[in-house]
């Protein structure tokens, strides 16, 4: 019944040309890692996210992830992580579309292995209610994250990077930069706090722009690097998952669980949670600046997390691309269905922050 599908690059080994260090893009000056399975990139998705995945891979083709020729002899792996059972008949169309993506040259050249795997979630374990009418409203994204984090650990990976389908690449070689960060880090979580000026909160029909609560305003967003292979982090996240914060989005649960530990332990954990500009998180808030201005503001940033930006691309087509300062992507010039765009762009577990 096909638990997983994997594609391995069958291209003949290429003779790596000498690399001119003076011409390397910023952020890529790190020692190449030869360690196997140093990094797994995981993209969680549901059936409603497939169109967003297609847009994501299209953006990767325009903003090529890896250096040519690859700087690192051990290329990272990629997994598309499906929430349910991708082999079930009702998901045949979604599976076919993702399998087509897996054969695209950008994935075959930049990743050593590309896989499509299922988390087999169902019922209340797969719940995601954006209206938050149920106390377990975010169990689906939480369980999807923990499933693949555990799988990465069992697979022998040092780090797992979770990248949802609302990530816009800012610069080429973003995968090289992410691998540099992972190779040099001893932290448990590496990513970005919420960088927008405020978060909109609806009071009745009126939207109020407010600061995040004091207890969560510095948390690292879920699109981040995680030390899957670190035994200390493994024990930490398993405790956080079953703690009093278990019903919260997983990134907040990790943050809040650490905050309630004894002060000496909190101080010891400070180096384990690192804010790094390889990714910048603007959540669901409208961007005040277009992508070119964001590149100037964040000189070391390679990836942008913005469900708002992805929504513009999905719902407004060519006009959306121009609004955020990008040339329209062939095949995506026409606006998609608005409801489908909402489902795809807003599927992040922390509701934007």
């Amino acid at each position: 019944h096909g638990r997983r599908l994997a594609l391995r690059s069958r291209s003949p080994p290429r003779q790596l040309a000498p690399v001119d260090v003076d011409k390397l893009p910023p952020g890529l000056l790190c020692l190449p890692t030869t360690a196997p399975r140093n990094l797994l990139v995981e993209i969680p998705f549901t059936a409603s996210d497939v169109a967003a995945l297609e847009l994501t891979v299209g953006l990767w083709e325009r903003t090529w992830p890896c250096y040519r020729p690859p700087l690192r002899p051990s290329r990272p792996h990629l997994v598309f992580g499906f929430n349910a059972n991708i082999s079930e008949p009702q998901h045949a169309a979604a599976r076919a579309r993702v399998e087509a993506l897996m054969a695209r040259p950008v994935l075959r050249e930049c990743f050593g292995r590309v896989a499509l795997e299922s988390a087999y979630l169902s019922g209340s374990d797969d719940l995601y209610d954006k209206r938050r009418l149920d106390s377990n409203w975010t169990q689906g994204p939480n369980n999807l994250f923990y499933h693949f984090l555990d799988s990465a650990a069992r697979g022998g990976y040092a780090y797992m990077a979770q990248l949802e389908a609302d990530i816009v690449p800012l610069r080429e070689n973003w995968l090289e930069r992410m691998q540099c960060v992972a190779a040099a880090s001893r932290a448990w979580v590496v990513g970005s706090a919420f960088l927008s000026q405020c978060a909109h909160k609806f009071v009745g029909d009126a939207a109020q722009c407010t600061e995040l609560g004091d207890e969560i305003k510095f948390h690292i967003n879920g699109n981040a690097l995680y030390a899957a292979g670190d035994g200390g982090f493994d024990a930490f996240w398993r405790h956080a998952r079953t703690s009093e914060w278990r019903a919260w989005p997983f990134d907040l649960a990790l943050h809040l669980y650490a905050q309630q530990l004894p002060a000496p332990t909190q101080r010891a954990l400070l180096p384990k949670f690192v804010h790094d500009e390889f990714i910048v998180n603007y959540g669901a808030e409208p961007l005040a600046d277009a992508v070119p201005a964001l590149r100037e503001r964040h000189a070391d940033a390679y990836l942008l997390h913005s469900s708002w930006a992805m929504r513009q691309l999905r719902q407004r087509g060519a006009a959306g691309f121009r609004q955020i300062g990008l040339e329209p992507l062939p095949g995506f010039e026409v606006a998609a269905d608005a409801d489908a765009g909402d489902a795809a762009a807003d599927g992040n577990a922390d509701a934007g922050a």
Side-chain angles (χ1 to χ4, degrees):
H1 295 285
R3 284 181 172 272
R4 64 181 64 183
L5 175 75
L7 294 177
R8 295 180 185 274
S9 176
R10 295 182 181 177
S11 303
R14 289 185 289 180
Q15 184 67 36
L16 300 186
V19 174
D20 186 342
V21 174
D22 293 332
K23 295 182 180 179
L24 281 177
L28 301 185
L29 292 174
C30 68
L31 293 176
T33 177
T34 58
R37 299 193 171 225
N38 185 61
L39 176 63
L40 173 69
V41 177
E42 179 255 343
I43 304 181
F45 76 103
T46 67
S48 65
D49 297 325
V50 174
L53 294 183
E54 292 169 335
L55 174 56
T56 293
V57 174
L59 292 172
W60 291 8
E61 289 175 329
R62 170 177 287 176
T63 314
W64 203 260
C66 61
Y67 197 72
R68 306 188 205 194
L71 287 180
R72 271 154 277 285
S74 178
R75 289 179 293 166
H77 294 174
L78 173 68
V79 60
F80 291 99
F82 188 63
N83 63 312
N85 181 356
I86 195 66
S87 296
E88 291 181 344
Q90 65 267 35
H91 301 309
R95 176 173 178 148
R97 290 168 69 181
V98 176
E99 287 175 354
L101 288 179
M102 294 166 66
R104 298 269 276 269
V106 66
L107 303 189
R108 301 296 296 274
E109 289 194 26
C110 291
F111 294 92
R113 178 177 183 266
V114 182
L116 170 60
E117 299 180 7
S118 297
Y120 302 101
L121 301 177
S122 62
S124 60
D125 288 338
D126 197 27
L127 179 65
Y128 183 39
D129 177 12
K130 288 189 219 125
R131 297 172 300 169
R132 309 187 187 189
L133 299 180
D134 189 295
S135 61
N136 294 318
W137 68 276
T138 190
Q139 283 307 294
N142 286 355
N143 288 328
L144 190 56
F145 167 76
Y146 290 127
H147 173 91
F148 283 102
L149 183 60
D150 178 67
S151 178
R154 288 185 286 104
Y157 293 98
Y159 277 88
M160 182 189 87
Q162 170 150 303
L163 299 182
E164 294 162 349
D166 54 2
I167 301 292
V168 178
L170 292 176
R171 290 181 169 87
E172 291 187 344
N173 304 304
W174 55 264
L175 184 61
E176 300 282 0
R177 176 56 186 156
M178 193 158 58
Q179 199 167 6
C180 273
V181 174
S185 181
R186 296 294 179 268
W188 287 353
V189 182
V190 185
S192 172
F194 181 59
L195 299 178
S196 291
Q197 292 300 310
C198 58
H200 281 87
K201 179 180 179 181
F202 281 89
V203 179
D205 293 330
Q208 296 181 357
C209 203
T210 62
E211 179 55 87
L212 298 179
D214 287 344
E215 71 278 9
I216 65 170
K217 63 185 178 183
F218 298 124
H219 84 281
I220 294 176
N221 176 263
N223 293 279
L225 281 164
Y226 298 90
D230 188 295
F233 179 58
D234 188 85
F236 176 88
W237 72 254
R238 292 180 192 278
H239 282 296
R241 186 183 187 183
T242 58
S243 71
E244 62 184 297
W245 311 108
R246 60 187 176 275
W248 288 62
F250 68 86
D251 51 354
L252 295 179
L254 296 175
H255 179 80
L256 292 168
Y257 176 69
Q259 286 191 326
Q260 57 87 48
L261 294 172
T265 304
Q266 290 189 50
R267 289 193 291 270
L269 289 180
L270 287 176
K272 299 299 185 182
F273 295 83
V274 173
H275 296 253
D276 190 290
E277 260 201 342
F278 84 87
I279 187 168
V280 288
N281 167 41
Y282 281 82
E285 297 306 307
L287 295 175
D289 297 306
V291 166
L294 288 172
R295 289 194 191 107
E296 291 186 13
R297 181 187 303 173
H298 302 287
D300 296 323
Y302 281 73
L303 296 171
L304 164 68
H305 173 229
S306 172
S307 59
W308 178 86
M310 269 318 233
R311 189 182 308 117
Q312 307 315 301
L313 305 187
R314 288 280 294 120
Q315 294 183 3
R316 303 186 65 230
F321 278 89
R322 294 190 181 97
Q323 181 176 2
I324 69 168
L326 297 177
E327 283 298 312
L329 196 64
F332 295 92
E333 299 95 335
V334 178
D337 177 75
D339 292 334
D342 280 336
D346 279 341
N348 45 330
D350 59 2

